Amino acid sequence: MYARIAGVGSFLPGQPVSNNDLVQRGVDTDDDWIVARTGIKARHLAEPDCTSSDLALEACRRALESAKTEVDEIDLIIVATSTPDFIFPSTACLLQSKLGNHGAMAFDVQAVCSGFVYALNIADKFIRSGSHKKALVVGAEVFSRILDWDDRATCVLFGDGAGAVVLEASEKPGILATAAHADGSHHGILSVPGSICGGKVVGDPFLRMDGQAVFKFAVRVLADVAKECCEVAGIASHAIDWLIPHQANIRIIESTGKKLGLGMDKVIVTVDHHGNTSAASIPLALDAAVRDGRVQRGQKILLEGVGGGFTWGAVLLEF
Ligand code: UT7
């Protein structure tokens, strides 16, 4: 028995906000710098009253439609997010309520930009154990809420969005191998080091990052975890049809592709359209490539992510 992707959906809020729009809004930056250093041309920013579960709802509706699945068939909902609607209940429970599903197991996964591959890995275990049959696995973020708009080294990089898949038990091949790791000793290079205590913010509620340290770490572990996953599945890394990496920076993506022996014609890139949407970036890229016909049934796809924690992981699947 495999866990197989039955449908995919995604959602980006509002109109794209270009690099020049950010300049107009007063960010001390320029289009040339952002494009050259990151590949990002635009991002989407949710309105203040729009939450991660709102974005997830739209992505899930599209995924359910593409899977031809009714919402009451879903018995597991996992939302990967680092920007939950509330401290509790989980964004997964709020999403469940908005979807009108009753009784499915629902919980959040907090692994920042690796969240979607962590969640897919977990859902795969539930489905292959036989305990659950149909899961919604979602990455949903409103990272714009935790950006310091006076910190040009971070605020230009991130955006909001959501992506989702319906994962179902199937005798046809689906997820072939998974790998996931963390090393909390690197927590200081990418974090939002704040919390709430006694009704007040304690510490710093904004995203802080040592960009160069993150860059070096990401390039190393993304290549390693992709190779590890391919080894588990017994597939040479250059033999996969599509690499769909976390969409943070085109230079990280290019360097990972090179290390794996994959030309850029085998790598899905959407970072230019929506920037780094953390846990949402991989399902956003997957959905774009499924809808434009590049990703086809039967192809071997490698999804991989890296993020705060530090966390990293990969999922190799036959689509
Ligand atoms: O999900 C994981 C999330 N994070 C990432 O993937 C980020 C990984 N890191 C990176 O992508 C890169 O390190 C950045 C894009 C964040 C930065 O690129 P960099 O090549 O490492 O630049 P830098 O931080 O070394 O800064 C170079 C220069 C500095 O100016 P000086 O000191 O050389 O005069 C910065 O002040 O670029 C300047 N700079 C900017 N200039 C225009 C930094 N941010 C900006 C900006 N616009 N937005």
Side-chain angles (χ1 to χ4, degrees):
M1 185 61 72
Y2 292 95
R4 182 170 183 268
I5 292 181
V8 192
S10 66
F11 182 72
L12 290 165
Q15 295 302 311
V17 176
S18 71
N19 296 335
N20 284 327
D21 291 336
L22 292 185
V23 175
Q24 296 283 317
R25 292 177 188 200
V27 180
D28 176 19
T29 188
D30 59 86
D31 180 56
D32 288 349
W33 189 95
I34 301 175
V35 173
R37 303 281 178 132
T38 72
I40 298 167
K41 293 179 183 156
R43 71 287 295 142
H44 291 247
L45 304 174
E47 292 295 327
D49 60 350
C50 173
T51 63
S52 286
S53 70
D54 292 327
L55 301 180
L57 176 65
E58 295 306 325
C60 286
R61 283 185 175 146
R62 293 172 188 194
L64 288 164
E65 195 184 329
S66 106
K68 299 186 174 54
T69 297
E70 296 299 324
V71 72
D72 51 14
E73 294 175 58
I74 298 294
D75 55 11
L76 175 64
I77 300 171
I78 309 180
V79 176
T81 186
S82 299
T83 46
D85 296 20
F86 298 147
I87 290 174
F88 74 80
S90 69
T91 303
C93 285
L94 299 172
L95 170 66
Q96 178 183 36
S97 160
K98 288 177 183 177
L99 281 166
N101 172 281
H102 303 274
M105 182 180 188
F107 61 93
D108 287 0
V109 166
Q110 218 299 27
V112 201
C113 304
S114 313
F116 185 75
V117 285
Y118 263 55
L120 209 50
N121 186 331
I122 295 164
D124 175 53
K125 307 290 184 286
F126 274 88
I127 287 181
R128 283 195 300 111
S129 77
S131 67
H132 291 73
K133 296 271 178 284
K134 281 189 201 245
L136 268 170
V137 182
V138 191
E141 302 279 16
V142 282
F143 253 53
S144 58
R145 306 282 151 81
I146 52 169
L147 298 177
D148 175 354
W149 291 99
D150 291 325
D151 177 10
R152 68 177 183 171
T154 56
C155 71
V156 302
L157 306 175
F158 296 90
D160 304 333
V165 299
V166 174
L167 197 69
E168 67 179 19
S170 169
E171 285 172 10
K172 286 189 206 157
I175 293 179
L176 304 174
T178 58
H181 301 283
D183 184 346
S185 67
H186 299 284
H187 67 271
I189 60 173
L190 176 55
S191 64
V192 179
S195 62
I196 291 174
C197 181
K200 294 197 177 80
V201 173
V202 178
D204 184 346
F206 293 121
L207 184 151
R208 302 297 175 201
M209 179 171 72
D210 176 344
Q212 291 191 3
V214 170
F215 194 101
K216 285 184 202 142
F217 193 93
V219 167
R220 179 169 60 80
V221 297
L222 284 174
D224 288 351
V225 80
K227 287 179 188 159
E228 178 189 347
C229 215
C230 288
E231 265 175 43
V232 173
I235 292 167
S237 59
H238 59 78
I240 61 173
D241 294 297
W242 293 107
L243 173 67
I244 307 187
H246 170 47
Q247 306 287 316
N249 183 314
I250 190 66
R251 293 187 293 141
I252 296 176
I253 294 173
E254 284 169 351
S255 133
T256 308
K258 207 167 169 184
K259 284 192 172 195
L260 296 176
L262 291 169
M264 286 305 286
D265 56 335
K266 286 192 162 192
V267 183
I268 303 295
V269 176
T270 54
V271 67
D272 48 334
H273 296 305
H274 54 64
N276 184 344
T277 57
S278 186
S281 91
I282 294 171
L284 273 162
L286 172 64
D287 187 43
V290 169
R291 283 175 198 269
D292 70 20
R294 278 177 293 173
V295 166
Q296 300 277 336
R297 286 287 173 199
Q299 290 182 330
K300 303 254 184 325
I301 318 286
L302 184 72
L303 312 176
E304 61 168 353
V306 58
F310 248 72
T311 58
W312 62 102
V315 174
L316 179 66
L317 57 92
E318 185 169 318
F319 187 69

PDB file of all heavy atoms in Angstrom, residues 217-251:
ATOM      1  N   PHE A 217      24.350  26.661   4.840  1.00  0.00           N
ATOM      2  CA  PHE A 217      23.738  25.474   5.451  1.00  0.00           C
ATOM      3  C   PHE A 217      22.755  24.830   4.470  1.00  0.00           C
ATOM      4  O   PHE A 217      22.750  23.613   4.267  1.00  0.00           O
ATOM      5  CB  PHE A 217      23.014  25.892   6.740  1.00  0.00           C
ATOM      6  CG  PHE A 217      22.614  24.744   7.607  1.00  0.00           C
ATOM      7  CD1 PHE A 217      23.452  24.305   8.630  1.00  0.00           C
ATOM      8  CD2 PHE A 217      21.422  24.075   7.399  1.00  0.00           C
ATOM      9  CE1 PHE A 217      23.095  23.227   9.420  1.00  0.00           C
ATOM     10  CE2 PHE A 217      21.058  22.994   8.188  1.00  0.00           C
ATOM     11  CZ  PHE A 217      21.893  22.571   9.210  1.00  0.00           C
ATOM     12  N   ALA A 218      21.933  25.657   3.859  1.00  0.00           N
ATOM     13  CA  ALA A 218      20.876  25.156   2.959  1.00  0.00           C
ATOM     14  C   ALA A 218      21.475  24.403   1.778  1.00  0.00           C
ATOM     15  O   ALA A 218      21.027  23.306   1.433  1.00  0.00           O
ATOM     16  CB  ALA A 218      20.017  26.326   2.475  1.00  0.00           C
ATOM     17  N   VAL A 219      22.493  24.981   1.165  1.00  0.00           N
ATOM     18  CA  VAL A 219      23.097  24.346  -0.022  1.00  0.00           C
ATOM     19  C   VAL A 219      23.637  22.959   0.339  1.00  0.00           C
ATOM     20  O   VAL A 219      23.459  21.992  -0.393  1.00  0.00           O
ATOM     21  CB  VAL A 219      24.209  25.253  -0.597  1.00  0.00           C
ATOM     22  CG1 VAL A 219      25.053  24.506  -1.597  1.00  0.00           C
ATOM     23  CG2 VAL A 219      23.588  26.493  -1.234  1.00  0.00           C
ATOM     24  N   ARG A 220      24.271  22.865   1.516  1.00  0.00           N
ATOM     25  CA  ARG A 220      24.869  21.575   1.915  1.00  0.00           C
ATOM     26  C   ARG A 220      23.790  20.529   2.188  1.00  0.00           C
ATOM     27  O   ARG A 220      23.807  19.446   1.606  1.00  0.00           O
ATOM     28  CB  ARG A 220      25.742  21.779   3.165  1.00  0.00           C
ATOM     29  CG  ARG A 220      26.372  20.485   3.666  1.00  0.00           C
ATOM     30  CD  ARG A 220      27.429  20.752   4.725  1.00  0.00           C
ATOM     31  NE  ARG A 220      26.943  21.430   5.910  1.00  0.00           N
ATOM     32  CZ  ARG A 220      26.291  20.817   6.898  1.00  0.00           C
ATOM     33  NH1 ARG A 220      26.032  19.537   6.843  1.00  0.00           N
ATOM     34  NH2 ARG A 220      25.887  21.509   7.957  1.00  0.00           N
ATOM     35  N   VAL A 221      22.816  20.875   3.046  1.00  0.00           N
ATOM     36  CA  VAL A 221      21.873  19.823   3.475  1.00  0.00           C
ATOM     37  C   VAL A 221      20.867  19.464   2.378  1.00  0.00           C
ATOM     38  O   VAL A 221      20.402  18.328   2.323  1.00  0.00           O
ATOM     39  CB  VAL A 221      21.145  20.180   4.798  1.00  0.00           C
ATOM     40  CG1 VAL A 221      22.148  20.311   5.933  1.00  0.00           C
ATOM     41  CG2 VAL A 221      20.245  21.389   4.673  1.00  0.00           C
ATOM     42  N   LEU A 222      20.549  20.414   1.492  1.00  0.00           N
ATOM     43  CA  LEU A 222      19.586  20.085   0.424  1.00  0.00           C
ATOM     44  C   LEU A 222      20.162  19.040  -0.524  1.00  0.00           C
ATOM     45  O   LEU A 222      19.459  18.121  -0.952  1.00  0.00           O
ATOM     46  CB  LEU A 222      19.166  21.342  -0.345  1.00  0.00           C
ATOM     47  CG  LEU A 222      18.180  22.251   0.381  1.00  0.00           C
ATOM     48  CD1 LEU A 222      17.949  23.532  -0.406  1.00  0.00           C
ATOM     49  CD2 LEU A 222      16.848  21.561   0.658  1.00  0.00           C
ATOM     50  N   ALA A 223      21.450  19.166  -0.831  1.00  0.00           N
ATOM     51  CA  ALA A 223      22.070  18.160  -1.706  1.00  0.00           C
ATOM     52  C   ALA A 223      22.151  16.822  -0.966  1.00  0.00           C
ATOM     53  O   ALA A 223      21.814  15.770  -1.517  1.00  0.00           O
ATOM     54  CB  ALA A 223      23.449  18.633  -2.145  1.00  0.00           C
ATOM     55  N   ASP A 224      22.571  16.875   0.314  1.00  0.00           N
ATOM     56  CA  ASP A 224      22.734  15.629   1.085  1.00  0.00           C
ATOM     57  C   ASP A 224      21.412  14.879   1.234  1.00  0.00           C
ATOM     58  O   ASP A 224      21.347  13.671   1.045  1.00  0.00           O
ATOM     59  CB  ASP A 224      23.285  15.927   2.490  1.00  0.00           C
ATOM     60  CG  ASP A 224      24.744  16.349   2.448  1.00  0.00           C
ATOM     61  OD1 ASP A 224      25.362  16.240   1.371  1.00  0.00           O
ATOM     62  OD2 ASP A 224      25.253  16.801   3.493  1.00  0.00           O
ATOM     63  N   VAL A 225      20.352  15.601   1.593  1.00  0.00           N
ATOM     64  CA  VAL A 225      19.082  14.918   1.891  1.00  0.00           C
ATOM     65  C   VAL A 225      18.437  14.386   0.608  1.00  0.00           C
ATOM     66  O   VAL A 225      17.774  13.340   0.619  1.00  0.00           O
ATOM     67  CB  VAL A 225      18.133  15.828   2.711  1.00  0.00           C
ATOM     68  CG1 VAL A 225      17.403  16.845   1.850  1.00  0.00           C
ATOM     69  CG2 VAL A 225      17.140  14.989   3.506  1.00  0.00           C
ATOM     70  N   ALA A 226      18.672  15.071  -0.505  1.00  0.00           N
ATOM     71  CA  ALA A 226      18.145  14.574  -1.783  1.00  0.00           C
ATOM     72  C   ALA A 226      18.826  13.253  -2.134  1.00  0.00           C
ATOM     73  O   ALA A 226      18.171  12.280  -2.513  1.00  0.00           O
ATOM     74  CB  ALA A 226      18.392  15.605  -2.879  1.00  0.00           C
ATOM     75  N   LYS A 227      20.145  13.216  -1.953  1.00  0.00           N
ATOM     76  CA  LYS A 227      20.897  11.987  -2.262  1.00  0.00           C
ATOM     77  C   LYS A 227      20.456  10.860  -1.328  1.00  0.00           C
ATOM     78  O   LYS A 227      20.272   9.719  -1.754  1.00  0.00           O
ATOM     79  CB  LYS A 227      22.399  12.235  -2.129  1.00  0.00           C
ATOM     80  CG  LYS A 227      22.951  13.071  -3.273  1.00  0.00           C
ATOM     81  CD  LYS A 227      24.436  13.332  -3.097  1.00  0.00           C
ATOM     82  CE  LYS A 227      24.927  14.333  -4.128  1.00  0.00           C
ATOM     83  NZ  LYS A 227      26.155  14.998  -3.756  1.00  0.00           N
ATOM     84  N   GLU A 228      20.266  11.195  -0.051  1.00  0.00           N
ATOM     85  CA  GLU A 228      19.839  10.183   0.924  1.00  0.00           C
ATOM     86  C   GLU A 228      18.502   9.555   0.511  1.00  0.00           C
ATOM     87  O   GLU A 228      18.324   8.347   0.522  1.00  0.00           O
ATOM     88  CB  GLU A 228      19.704  10.854   2.304  1.00  0.00           C
ATOM     89  CG  GLU A 228      19.223   9.919   3.393  1.00  0.00           C
ATOM     90  CD  GLU A 228      18.905  10.662   4.687  1.00  0.00           C
ATOM     91  OE1 GLU A 228      19.274  11.838   4.838  1.00  0.00           O
ATOM     92  OE2 GLU A 228      18.253  10.039   5.550  1.00  0.00           O
ATOM     93  N   CYS A 229      17.563  10.405   0.113  1.00  0.00           N
ATOM     94  CA  CYS A 229      16.230   9.946  -0.265  1.00  0.00           C
ATOM     95  C   CYS A 229      16.291   9.069  -1.524  1.00  0.00           C
ATOM     96  O   CYS A 229      15.628   8.035  -1.606  1.00  0.00           O
ATOM     97  CB  CYS A 229      15.372  11.188  -0.521  1.00  0.00           C
ATOM     98  SG  CYS A 229      13.690  11.011  -0.037  1.00  0.00           S
ATOM     99  N   CYS A 230      17.109   9.496  -2.474  1.00  0.00           N
ATOM    100  CA  CYS A 230      17.263   8.710  -3.710  1.00  0.00           C
ATOM    101  C   CYS A 230      17.882   7.354  -3.402  1.00  0.00           C
ATOM    102  O   CYS A 230      17.481   6.337  -3.974  1.00  0.00           O
ATOM    103  CB  CYS A 230      18.117   9.460  -4.727  1.00  0.00           C
ATOM    104  SG  CYS A 230      17.272  10.861  -5.435  1.00  0.00           S
ATOM    105  N   GLU A 231      18.845   7.333  -2.487  1.00  0.00           N
ATOM    106  CA  GLU A 231      19.482   6.059  -2.118  1.00  0.00           C
ATOM    107  C   GLU A 231      18.474   5.107  -1.501  1.00  0.00           C
ATOM    108  O   GLU A 231      18.441   3.920  -1.820  1.00  0.00           O
ATOM    109  CB  GLU A 231      20.615   6.318  -1.120  1.00  0.00           C
ATOM    110  CG  GLU A 231      21.973   6.436  -1.802  1.00  0.00           C
ATOM    111  CD  GLU A 231      23.063   6.815  -0.816  1.00  0.00           C
ATOM    112  OE1 GLU A 231      23.094   6.258   0.306  1.00  0.00           O
ATOM    113  OE2 GLU A 231      23.843   7.709  -1.182  1.00  0.00           O
ATOM    114  N   VAL A 232      17.624   5.627  -0.620  1.00  0.00           N
ATOM    115  CA  VAL A 232      16.598   4.796   0.029  1.00  0.00           C
ATOM    116  C   VAL A 232      15.700   4.164  -1.043  1.00  0.00           C
ATOM    117  O   VAL A 232      15.332   2.995  -0.957  1.00  0.00           O
ATOM    118  CB  VAL A 232      15.747   5.639   1.018  1.00  0.00           C
ATOM    119  CG1 VAL A 232      14.569   4.828   1.555  1.00  0.00           C
ATOM    120  CG2 VAL A 232      16.594   6.148   2.169  1.00  0.00           C
ATOM    121  N   ALA A 233      15.368   4.960  -2.061  1.00  0.00           N
ATOM    122  CA  ALA A 233      14.464   4.461  -3.116  1.00  0.00           C
ATOM    123  C   ALA A 233      15.216   3.664  -4.186  1.00  0.00           C
ATOM    124  O   ALA A 233      14.581   3.085  -5.072  1.00  0.00           O
ATOM    125  CB  ALA A 233      13.733   5.631  -3.761  1.00  0.00           C
ATOM    126  N   GLY A 234      16.548   3.672  -4.133  1.00  0.00           N
ATOM    127  CA  GLY A 234      17.334   2.958  -5.140  1.00  0.00           C
ATOM    128  C   GLY A 234      17.278   3.616  -6.512  1.00  0.00           C
ATOM    129  O   GLY A 234      17.297   2.945  -7.543  1.00  0.00           O
ATOM    130  N   ILE A 235      17.209   4.964  -6.511  1.00  0.00           N
ATOM    131  CA  ILE A 235      17.125   5.708  -7.781  1.00  0.00           C
ATOM    132  C   ILE A 235      18.286   6.701  -7.838  1.00  0.00           C
ATOM    133  O   ILE A 235      18.546   7.411  -6.849  1.00  0.00           O
ATOM    134  CB  ILE A 235      15.772   6.467  -7.854  1.00  0.00           C
ATOM    135  CG1 ILE A 235      14.627   5.465  -7.989  1.00  0.00           C
ATOM    136  CG2 ILE A 235      15.737   7.476  -9.001  1.00  0.00           C
ATOM    137  CD1 ILE A 235      13.270   6.061  -7.752  1.00  0.00           C
ATOM    138  N   ALA A 236      18.980   6.763  -8.961  1.00  0.00           N
ATOM    139  CA  ALA A 236      20.066   7.751  -9.098  1.00  0.00           C
ATOM    140  C   ALA A 236      19.462   9.149  -9.127  1.00  0.00           C
ATOM    141  O   ALA A 236      18.416   9.359  -9.750  1.00  0.00           O
ATOM    142  CB  ALA A 236      20.838   7.487 -10.388  1.00  0.00           C
ATOM    143  N   SER A 237      20.131  10.096  -8.452  1.00  0.00           N
ATOM    144  CA  SER A 237      19.531  11.430  -8.347  1.00  0.00           C
ATOM    145  C   SER A 237      19.342  12.075  -9.726  1.00  0.00           C
ATOM    146  O   SER A 237      18.387  12.822  -9.946  1.00  0.00           O
ATOM    147  CB  SER A 237      20.334  12.330  -7.418  1.00  0.00           C
ATOM    148  OG  SER A 237      21.646  12.452  -7.879  1.00  0.00           O
ATOM    149  N   HIS A 238      20.237  11.772 -10.679  1.00  0.00           N
ATOM    150  CA  HIS A 238      20.083  12.392 -12.009  1.00  0.00           C
ATOM    151  C   HIS A 238      18.939  11.750 -12.802  1.00  0.00           C
ATOM    152  O   HIS A 238      18.566  12.231 -13.870  1.00  0.00           O
ATOM    153  CB  HIS A 238      21.391  12.333 -12.798  1.00  0.00           C
ATOM    154  CG  HIS A 238      21.908  10.942 -13.007  1.00  0.00           C
ATOM    155  ND1 HIS A 238      21.386  10.092 -13.949  1.00  0.00           N
ATOM    156  CD2 HIS A 238      22.873  10.250 -12.361  1.00  0.00           C
ATOM    157  CE1 HIS A 238      22.029   8.929 -13.877  1.00  0.00           C
ATOM    158  NE2 HIS A 238      22.924   9.005 -12.919  1.00  0.00           N
ATOM    159  N   ALA A 239      18.350  10.645 -12.247  1.00  0.00           N
ATOM    160  CA  ALA A 239      17.279   9.949 -12.978  1.00  0.00           C
ATOM    161  C   ALA A 239      15.884  10.463 -12.620  1.00  0.00           C
ATOM    162  O   ALA A 239      14.891  10.025 -13.211  1.00  0.00           O
ATOM    163  CB  ALA A 239      17.357   8.451 -12.706  1.00  0.00           C
ATOM    164  N   ILE A 240      15.790  11.393 -11.642  1.00  0.00           N
ATOM    165  CA  ILE A 240      14.449  11.887 -11.307  1.00  0.00           C
ATOM    166  C   ILE A 240      13.952  12.845 -12.406  1.00  0.00           C
ATOM    167  O   ILE A 240      14.758  13.477 -13.100  1.00  0.00           O
ATOM    168  CB  ILE A 240      14.402  12.566  -9.925  1.00  0.00           C
ATOM    169  CG1 ILE A 240      15.322  13.769  -9.867  1.00  0.00           C
ATOM    170  CG2 ILE A 240      14.717  11.585  -8.812  1.00  0.00           C
ATOM    171  CD1 ILE A 240      15.181  14.542  -8.604  1.00  0.00           C
ATOM    172  N   ASP A 241      12.645  12.882 -12.575  1.00  0.00           N
ATOM    173  CA  ASP A 241      12.077  13.723 -13.644  1.00  0.00           C
ATOM    174  C   ASP A 241      12.032  15.192 -13.252  1.00  0.00           C
ATOM    175  O   ASP A 241      12.266  16.069 -14.078  1.00  0.00           O
ATOM    176  CB  ASP A 241      10.672  13.221 -13.999  1.00  0.00           C
ATOM    177  CG  ASP A 241      10.715  11.838 -14.618  1.00  0.00           C
ATOM    178  OD1 ASP A 241      11.316  11.706 -15.706  1.00  0.00           O
ATOM    179  OD2 ASP A 241      10.193  10.888 -14.009  1.00  0.00           O
ATOM    180  N   TRP A 242      11.678  15.446 -11.977  1.00  0.00           N
ATOM    181  CA  TRP A 242      11.557  16.845 -11.538  1.00  0.00           C
ATOM    182  C   TRP A 242      12.053  17.007 -10.105  1.00  0.00           C
ATOM    183  O   TRP A 242      11.666  16.222  -9.235  1.00  0.00           O
ATOM    184  CB  TRP A 242      10.092  17.324 -11.588  1.00  0.00           C
ATOM    185  CG  TRP A 242       9.544  17.422 -12.968  1.00  0.00           C
ATOM    186  CD1 TRP A 242       8.646  16.585 -13.552  1.00  0.00           C
ATOM    187  CD2 TRP A 242       9.853  18.427 -13.947  1.00  0.00           C
ATOM    188  NE1 TRP A 242       8.378  16.989 -14.828  1.00  0.00           N
ATOM    189  CE2 TRP A 242       9.103  18.122 -15.103  1.00  0.00           C
ATOM    190  CE3 TRP A 242      10.690  19.550 -13.962  1.00  0.00           C
ATOM    191  CZ2 TRP A 242       9.162  18.895 -16.261  1.00  0.00           C
ATOM    192  CZ3 TRP A 242      10.751  20.316 -15.115  1.00  0.00           C
ATOM    193  CH2 TRP A 242       9.994  19.987 -16.240  1.00  0.00           C
ATOM    194  N   LEU A 243      12.854  18.037  -9.901  1.00  0.00           N
ATOM    195  CA  LEU A 243      13.209  18.454  -8.545  1.00  0.00           C
ATOM    196  C   LEU A 243      12.320  19.650  -8.197  1.00  0.00           C
ATOM    197  O   LEU A 243      12.268  20.621  -8.964  1.00  0.00           O
ATOM    198  CB  LEU A 243      14.690  18.868  -8.500  1.00  0.00           C
ATOM    199  CG  LEU A 243      15.170  19.481  -7.175  1.00  0.00           C
ATOM    200  CD1 LEU A 243      15.157  18.446  -6.053  1.00  0.00           C
ATOM    201  CD2 LEU A 243      16.572  20.074  -7.327  1.00  0.00           C
ATOM    202  N   ILE A 244      11.611  19.539  -7.084  1.00  0.00           N
ATOM    203  CA  ILE A 244      10.791  20.676  -6.633  1.00  0.00           C
ATOM    204  C   ILE A 244      11.299  21.073  -5.246  1.00  0.00           C
ATOM    205  O   ILE A 244      10.869  20.550  -4.222  1.00  0.00           O
ATOM    206  CB  ILE A 244       9.282  20.336  -6.615  1.00  0.00           C
ATOM    207  CG1 ILE A 244       8.867  19.777  -7.982  1.00  0.00           C
ATOM    208  CG2 ILE A 244       8.472  21.585  -6.248  1.00  0.00           C
ATOM    209  CD1 ILE A 244       7.366  19.561  -8.151  1.00  0.00           C
ATOM    210  N   PRO A 245      12.277  21.988  -5.227  1.00  0.00           N
ATOM    211  CA  PRO A 245      12.869  22.383  -3.948  1.00  0.00           C
ATOM    212  C   PRO A 245      12.089  23.518  -3.298  1.00  0.00           C
ATOM    213  O   PRO A 245      11.296  24.202  -3.966  1.00  0.00           O
ATOM    214  CB  PRO A 245      14.254  22.867  -4.372  1.00  0.00           C
ATOM    215  CG  PRO A 245      14.064  23.406  -5.749  1.00  0.00           C
ATOM    216  CD  PRO A 245      12.908  22.664  -6.370  1.00  0.00           C
ATOM    217  N   HIS A 246      12.352  23.703  -2.009  1.00  0.00           N
ATOM    218  CA  HIS A 246      11.836  24.888  -1.312  1.00  0.00           C
ATOM    219  C   HIS A 246      12.253  26.127  -2.109  1.00  0.00           C
ATOM    220  O   HIS A 246      13.407  26.248  -2.542  1.00  0.00           O
ATOM    221  CB  HIS A 246      12.409  24.922   0.099  1.00  0.00           C
ATOM    222  CG  HIS A 246      12.153  26.192   0.818  1.00  0.00           C
ATOM    223  ND1 HIS A 246      10.917  26.795   0.846  1.00  0.00           N
ATOM    224  CD2 HIS A 246      12.980  26.994   1.549  1.00  0.00           C
ATOM    225  CE1 HIS A 246      10.990  27.907   1.555  1.00  0.00           C
ATOM    226  NE2 HIS A 246      12.225  28.057   1.987  1.00  0.00           N
ATOM    227  N   GLN A 247      11.299  27.025  -2.300  1.00  0.00           N
ATOM    228  CA  GLN A 247      11.528  28.210  -3.138  1.00  0.00           C
ATOM    229  C   GLN A 247      11.947  29.385  -2.251  1.00  0.00           C
ATOM    230  O   GLN A 247      11.104  30.138  -1.769  1.00  0.00           O
ATOM    231  CB  GLN A 247      10.247  28.558  -3.910  1.00  0.00           C
ATOM    232  CG  GLN A 247       9.677  27.402  -4.718  1.00  0.00           C
ATOM    233  CD  GLN A 247      10.496  27.078  -5.967  1.00  0.00           C
ATOM    234  OE1 GLN A 247      10.919  27.964  -6.692  1.00  0.00           O
ATOM    235  NE2 GLN A 247      10.725  25.786  -6.208  1.00  0.00           N
ATOM    236  N   ALA A 248      13.263  29.499  -2.014  1.00  0.00           N
ATOM    237  CA  ALA A 248      13.746  30.606  -1.180  1.00  0.00           C
ATOM    238  C   ALA A 248      14.639  31.541  -1.980  1.00  0.00           C
ATOM    239  O   ALA A 248      14.534  32.756  -1.854  1.00  0.00           O
ATOM    240  CB  ALA A 248      14.509  30.066   0.027  1.00  0.00           C
ATOM    241  N   ASN A 249      15.515  30.956  -2.789  1.00  0.00           N
ATOM    242  CA  ASN A 249      16.520  31.768  -3.471  1.00  0.00           C
ATOM    243  C   ASN A 249      16.984  30.993  -4.706  1.00  0.00           C
ATOM    244  O   ASN A 249      17.386  29.832  -4.602  1.00  0.00           O
ATOM    245  CB  ASN A 249      17.695  31.990  -2.495  1.00  0.00           C
ATOM    246  CG  ASN A 249      18.755  32.892  -3.080  1.00  0.00           C
ATOM    247  OD1 ASN A 249      19.160  32.732  -4.236  1.00  0.00           O
ATOM    248  ND2 ASN A 249      19.203  33.837  -2.298  1.00  0.00           N
ATOM    249  N   ILE A 250      16.945  31.619  -5.853  1.00  0.00           N
ATOM    250  CA  ILE A 250      17.305  30.931  -7.103  1.00  0.00           C
ATOM    251  C   ILE A 250      18.738  30.413  -7.056  1.00  0.00           C
ATOM    252  O   ILE A 250      19.058  29.358  -7.621  1.00  0.00           O
ATOM    253  CB  ILE A 250      17.085  31.855  -8.336  1.00  0.00           C
ATOM    254  CG1 ILE A 250      17.221  31.069  -9.644  1.00  0.00           C
ATOM    255  CG2 ILE A 250      18.027  33.037  -8.335  1.00  0.00           C
ATOM    256  CD1 ILE A 250      16.196  30.033  -9.893  1.00  0.00           C
ATOM    257  N   ARG A 251      19.616  31.123  -6.333  1.00  0.00           N
ATOM    258  CA  ARG A 251      21.022  30.670  -6.291  1.00  0.00           C
ATOM    259  C   ARG A 251      21.158  29.378  -5.482  1.00  0.00           C
ATOM    260  O   ARG A 251      21.952  28.510  -5.821  1.00  0.00           O
ATOM    261  CB  ARG A 251      21.909  31.775  -5.711  1.00  0.00           C
ATOM    262  CG  ARG A 251      21.986  33.002  -6.639  1.00  0.00           C
ATOM    263  CD  ARG A 251      23.003  34.015  -6.131  1.00  0.00           C
ATOM    264  NE  ARG A 251      22.571  34.610  -4.884  1.00  0.00           N
ATOM    265  CZ  ARG A 251      23.372  34.895  -3.863  1.00  0.00           C
ATOM    266  NH1 ARG A 251      24.654  34.628  -3.924  1.00  0.00           N
ATOM    267  NH2 ARG A 251      22.903  35.453  -2.763  1.00  0.00           N
TER     268      ARG A 251
END
